[in-house]
Amino acid sequence: MGTGIKSLMKDTAVYGLSTILVRLLNWLMTIVYVRALPGTADFGNMTNLYAWTALAMIVLTYGMETGFFRFINKAERPGEVYSTTLWSLGATSTLFLSLGLLFLSPLSAALGYGTHPEYVGLLLAIVAMDAFMAIPLAYLRYANRPWRFMLVRLTFILLTIVLTLFFLFLCPRIYAAHPEWIGWFYRPHYELGYVFIINFVCNLIQMAMLFPHWRHAGCAFRPDILRKMLAYSFPILLLGLAGSFNNQADKILFPMLFDDPAEGKAQLGIYAACYKLAVIMVMFTQAFRYAYDPFVFAKTKSGEDEGKEAYATAMKYFIIFVCFIYVGVMSYMDILKHFVSPTYYGGLKVVPLVMLGQLMFGIYFNLSLWYKVTDRTIWGAIFSLLSCAITVAIIVLGTPIYGFMACAWASVLSNGLIMLLSYLVGRHYFPVPYRLGNALFYACLTALLTGGTYLVAYLLPEYVVARVAVNTLLFLTFVFIAVRKDLRGVVTPIMKRLRKR
């Protein structure tokens, strides 16, 4: 295994540790929210608002995160790229927040939250801070400081958990017994508002932790560098906006397709809670993305043949691990479903489809390196816009008939399409020797073992322990085959080190 791949796997492991812990703890917060928020509609409201902030985040970063990695790796003075990017995002984030607060009332009414404009105001501040902090966090990745990255992210989520438990669980009980103790700062029946207040406070602390990493960037602002970065990044903005809307369209459009808005938000809450069960797949793909962008642009300094071989090897291991996660989640669904309350069980059928959609998106992200390293980012925008159009069409046409299952199928079909198109077009501009036979083998193995979990559920509907035991054997079958076939070179050195200890 090459040094570059080992470095990628190490960085993915560290970023993965931080991302998985952050996502896992955030995942556990779902347990808190579905029990602390009064009903599924409140969870739907929270999901809907955060979906809008995800879109705003793409607009406010306007592709500069990827542009940052592209230009800082080939710059003679990397500090100038860093400081120019910070100035640019700082200015646009401040302008966004100022305009948003100026027109807060009509904006809140347009989003359907006119009775609680403070929700929207807090989210405007949150997304503005998130956009600015994207570059200091990217700098930590560029500087190979994954442990510092992990510290910042874990501090954010741990503090979020502590404050959430305090305001959503402890305070209501104290207030019920002794309202005079905390009545001066606690407001009952304001659960959703506290979710946003906590996020805002934790963002402030995260920004303070990142301050040393942008305070020393210098004051240089190079308009010539910014112009080049914007020209490179604008197609990525379109790509990211379409891609983000592709991922968030279900949370935004779904409640709009109901005659009764309250029923739409309630159904969205059920869908979103079960969507969270598929977050393990999102964890790994996100962790891999954090490590993969610096890896891709660093490899452009190597020979083309060496770089392509490294990309193919990275794809091979990525597919193995996402299939591993898919089989694992499906094998232990009888346990994982308890992370949401029985009220939400009606949405469990979306989990395998959501994971499949995320798996395909992860493969697409790997394939997308060809238009990044060849500066043909316009292709990414084309793919994402096409995917976005398909997603919207399926959701709008399918929701009245199939409910939230249309949202799950939209993810599979749209991400599957851009995955296929990126591979076909990439073969022309930047052919990479991907192991297609190996990928097909793991796709078939995953389908076979997943089908086995459904067969077990059908044959043993009343015996949960027996189902878990048989599914564990199916899961271990995947592990055994993967280790014997492809992972022996990874596992053997680890086992040797453990024996020496």
Side-chain angles (χ1 to χ4, degrees), residues 176-223:
H178 300 283
E180 69 279 4
W181 289 3
I182 59 173
W184 60 277
F185 74 87
Y186 176 72
R187 179 178 168 185
H189 311 298
Y190 195 64
E191 293 87 356
L192 190 55
Y194 284 122
V195 171
F196 301 133
I197 292 171
I198 291 165
N199 194 339
F200 174 75
V201 171
C202 293
N203 259 27
L204 287 176
I205 294 172
Q206 183 174 225
M207 182 174 280
M209 293 182 69
L210 289 170
F211 178 72
H213 302 288
W214 57 272
R215 183 172 60 88
H216 297 300
C219 298
F221 177 75
R222 291 279 302 276

Side-chain angles (χ1 to χ4, degrees), residues 331-495:
S331 296
Y332 295 103
M333 186 57 67
D334 284 312
I335 297 173
L336 295 175
K337 70 179 184 181
H338 294 291
F339 283 95
V340 297
S341 67
T343 307
Y344 295 83
Y345 283 0
L348 290 175
K349 54 191 174 183
V350 307
V351 175
L353 293 175
V354 171
M355 283 200 301
L356 181 58
Q358 288 298 321
L359 185 154
M360 291 177 171
F361 184 79
I363 295 175
Y364 164 72
F365 182 83
N366 278 264
L367 294 169
S368 69
L369 68 92
W370 69 264
Y371 60 71
K372 294 178 181 177
V373 300
T374 61
D375 293 345
R376 291 184 172 90
T377 50
I378 188 64
W379 277 103
I382 293 171
F383 295 150
S384 291
L385 288 171
L386 178 60
S387 174
C388 184
I390 293 172
T391 298
V392 171
I394 294 173
I395 292 174
V396 171
L397 296 176
T399 294
I401 303 172
Y402 302 106
F404 47 61
M405 289 302 294
C407 300
W409 275 110
S411 173
V412 173
L413 297 175
S414 60
N415 287 331
L417 176 66
I418 59 175
M419 176 186 72
L420 180 61
L421 289 178
S422 185
Y423 172 73
L424 293 175
V425 179
R427 288 178 62 188
H428 174 70
Y429 289 109
F430 194 78
V432 175
Y434 294 116
R435 284 77 158 172
L436 297 183
N438 202 61
L440 181 60
F441 171 82
Y442 280 102
C444 293
L445 178 63
T446 300
L448 180 64
L449 295 176
T450 301
T453 65
Y454 281 104
L455 180 61
V456 170
Y458 176 76
L459 295 176
L460 303 171
E462 303 297 329
Y463 303 97
V464 176
V465 175
R467 287 203 305 269
V468 172
V470 176
N471 287 343
T472 298
L473 292 177
L474 294 174
F475 179 57
L476 292 177
T477 299
F478 181 95
V479 174
F480 176 78
I481 292 174
V483 170
R484 290 295 299 268
K485 185 177 185 300
D486 289 295
L487 298 181
R488 189 175 297 180
V490 178
V491 174
T492 302
I494 296 174
M495 297 302 295

Side-chain angles (χ1 to χ4, degrees), residues 112-123:
Y113 297 93
T115 56
H116 289 285
E118 72 277 13
Y119 291 176
V120 178
L122 285 167
L123 286 172

